[in-house]
Amino acid sequence: MQTITDIGTLIIRTPGTLGGRPHIAGTRVSVQRVAAWYKLGLNAEEIVGRMGSLTLAQVYAALTYYHANREEIEAYLAAEKSSYEQLAAQMGELL
């Protein structure tokens, strides 16, 4: 018997998990992380290969969320990049 998955249940927000950012249900993999890999040129199958615990449906759900809410996810990616650059600059000052 075929199992039907409601795709609306694949991406969730949980207060206290990943800062309340959208992530793949049942995991700690954020939509932002999947989008970052996608923007680096990985396709859905390659992302699944990198994160062996994810299914192709979960990755496509994350990519769909990203494309439907690009401004939100791009803001998370920009904030992450800024934090990384600040930390790198601080570390450079210590060396």
Side-chain angles (χ1 to χ4, degrees):
M1 184 166 143
Q2 182 180 358
T3 302
I4 305 295
T5 300
D6 175 359
I7 62 170
T9 64
L10 295 176
I11 304 299
I12 62 171
R13 290 174 185 270
T14 307
T17 301
L18 301 174
R21 295 178 179 184
H23 62 280
I24 298 171
T27 76
R28 292 186 56 82
V29 178
S30 67
V31 170
Q32 158 185 345
R33 183 62 40 228
V34 173
W37 288 327
Y38 173 76
K39 290 180 65 160
L40 287 173
L42 278 71
N43 64 35
E45 289 80 5
E46 292 167 327
I47 295 169
V48 168
R50 184 168 284 206
M51 296 292 299
S53 62
L54 298 181
T55 67
L56 196 53
Q58 289 172 313
V59 170
Y60 276 119
L63 291 173
T64 298
Y65 187 97
Y66 165 67
H67 287 292
N69 301 281
R70 189 178 300 249
E71 192 172 302
E72 171 195 14
I73 302 304
E74 288 293 337
Y76 291 145
L77 290 169
E80 181 179 56
K81 181 180 179 184
S82 177
S83 293
Y84 171 80
E85 289 170 348
Q86 288 175 354
L87 180 60
Q90 290 172 355
M91 294 303 293
E93 292 173 4
L94 295 176
L95 298 176

